[in-house]
Structure formats: C-alpha cells, structure tokens
Amino acid sequence: MKTTFALLLLAAATFPLAAPSHAQPPRTDVIWARAVTPGAITLDGVLNEPEWGLAESRTIQYGVNSGDPGSGWKPEGGLLPNNPTNATIKFLRDGNQLYLAVTVPDRSVGGSELFNRFDGLLMSISNHTATSRPTPPWEHFYSWWWPEDPNARAVGKEPSFIGVWGNNPPTAARTPTQIANWDARTVVNGVANQDGPDDVGYTIEMRFNVAADGYNYTDADGDIVEFNLSIYDCDWFWPLNTGQFSTNRVWLQGPWGNVHE
C-alpha cells in the first residue's frame, strides 16, 4: 500500500505572520520546519530530543485525504490492506540541514528485491540548482527495496538509499559526499523481514542538506523547499501469507515550507 504526501517546507527570515482570513481555510500544503539550536539533533532514529516534541506534525492515513493539491492512496496488489498506513511526519531544521521524522505503526515490516514488495519512503525535492522551469524532481528513495541484492530478504535488513545522493543498485558503497547530503537512521520495533509475532512499527530520522539541492534557509528572505512524499507499505510477505498479504501506498503532494524563527 502506498500513501503520497506533498507540501512546501518553508523557511523565511523572522517576521510576523498575518492572521488567516476567515474566508480562507488553512493551507494544507505548507508546514513549518522550526529552527533548532545547532547540533541539537542526533541522527540515530530515536526521537528523544525535546525539539521533536515541539515540531509541527502531519498525519498521513490510508483512505483519508491528507490535504490538497495532491494527496491520495491506492492498493498496489489488488487487495485492500488489513493493516493500513497511519503515519506521523515532522520536520525541523538546523541551518540548511532539514530533518525529517517519520513514525509508522506497522505489524509487518520488511522488504525484498521486488518492486512494491517493501516498506519505505519515496521522496522528491525539486532541484533548484537547475535553471529550467518547472524545476525537475530529484528523487530520494529510502526503503527496504534492495534490487539486485541476493540478501534482500535477510532478517533484520536495513533500508537502502536509492536516487540522488544514493546508488542504484543500492549495494554500492555510498561516498562521504552522498552521506553528507542525505542520510538517515531507522529503528524497528520488531524485526524487519521476519513475520511471526507482529511488529509494532518503525521510526525513521532523516537529514537532507538542502543547500546541495539549491536552497538556502539562512538567506535573509528565507526559502521554500518543494517536497513530496510517498509511503509504501507491504505486509505479511516474510514469508508470504496469502491470507493476510497486502500492499498499498499513500502520498502527499504540494510544495511545503519551513519558516525559521
């Protein structure tokens, strides 16, 4: 199952925000990534810093509109999910380092070498280093999809990095530059690629160097990061349980923003 989500991550210089007009509903395509003290966030997949507790959050659910202009959901394998996605996302920023936290309750966590038979995130950041308009997307695929890996279904396997600042196939070692521009840590409450007792879910803590994508949150006028997110959710495939198996996707689309204070 896959759910998609898109929004603007807005960063601007300190300024008073105008109160919303009574005739206009709140925008659902913008979110603040609040500024934190430099070095406050440790990238370890554990959201125990108090800053995460203060971060604005958004819930993305299968079967629920997460906001226009482009949210949605669909079953990918022809079967309706019996453990549908209900994820929470948050953003923070440290200078031009954009931090993303994703908490996903999931009773069956894992992946494989097969497309759509995995859990994880497909993200797109518009490439503002390009001069063409509209700006092209730069994809960041962080998931338990391991194409061309003979050990793709190993018990306890960690997610792969594919796309910009990643590799395809993901078995290739990442360079220091790739890691500096995009990195993540995941903690699974359970065991990936091993269905038996149900898992509880997983938490992803991720960092993007948005300066490498052509943005500058520290500019006096601020900046906006255009960001889309899809969550893939495959259940009971380790091993395949035909009585419970399902795969779906949820998504959120639309430029997001992050206002720094």
Side-chain angles (χ1 to χ4, degrees), residues 80-231:
L80 294 177
N82 56 30
N83 180 214
T85 303
N86 184 9
T88 301
I89 66 170
K90 298 181 178 183
F91 289 93
L92 293 171
R93 76 163 191 93
D94 178 351
N96 277 321
Q97 303 299 312
L98 175 64
Y99 285 87
L100 165 68
V102 183
T103 304
V104 185
D106 192 347
R107 290 188 281 136
S108 176
V109 178
S112 73
E113 73 285 0
L114 303 174
F115 191 73
N116 275 355
R117 301 299 185 259
F118 55 81
D119 296 322
L121 311 177
L122 174 59
M123 299 154 289
S124 172
I125 295 179
S126 291
N127 173 18
H128 279 206
T129 68
T131 57
S132 60
R133 293 296 182 270
T135 53
W138 268 1
E139 287 194 342
H140 304 263
F141 210 160
Y142 182 75
S143 71
W144 278 271
W145 181 38
W146 283 93
E148 302 183 36
D149 186 344
N151 297 311
R153 305 191 197 189
V155 174
K157 189 84 168 179
E158 295 184 354
S160 65
F161 293 83
I162 299 176
V164 176
W165 313 124
N167 295 312
N168 195 5
T171 50
R174 300 178 71 218
T175 68
T177 298
Q178 289 174 313
I179 295 170
N181 289 329
W182 178 39
D183 204 8
R185 298 291 183 274
T186 295
V187 173
V188 177
N189 191 344
V191 181
N193 290 353
Q194 179 176 275
D195 288 335
D198 285 356
D199 299 318
V200 176
Y202 61 92
T203 300
I204 296 172
E205 192 171 28
M206 186 173 292
R207 176 187 53 75
F208 301 92
N209 174 21
V210 296
D213 301 327
Y215 300 91
N216 184 8
Y217 276 160
T218 65
D219 185 81
D221 296 324
D223 209 341
I224 295 174
V225 171
E226 299 176 90
F227 184 91
N228 297 335
L229 170 69
S230 295
I231 302 177

Side-chain angles (χ1 to χ4, degrees), residues 33-47:
R34 297 182 180 275
V36 301
T37 302
I41 304 301
T42 300
L43 194 70
D44 57 6
V46 180
L47 309 181

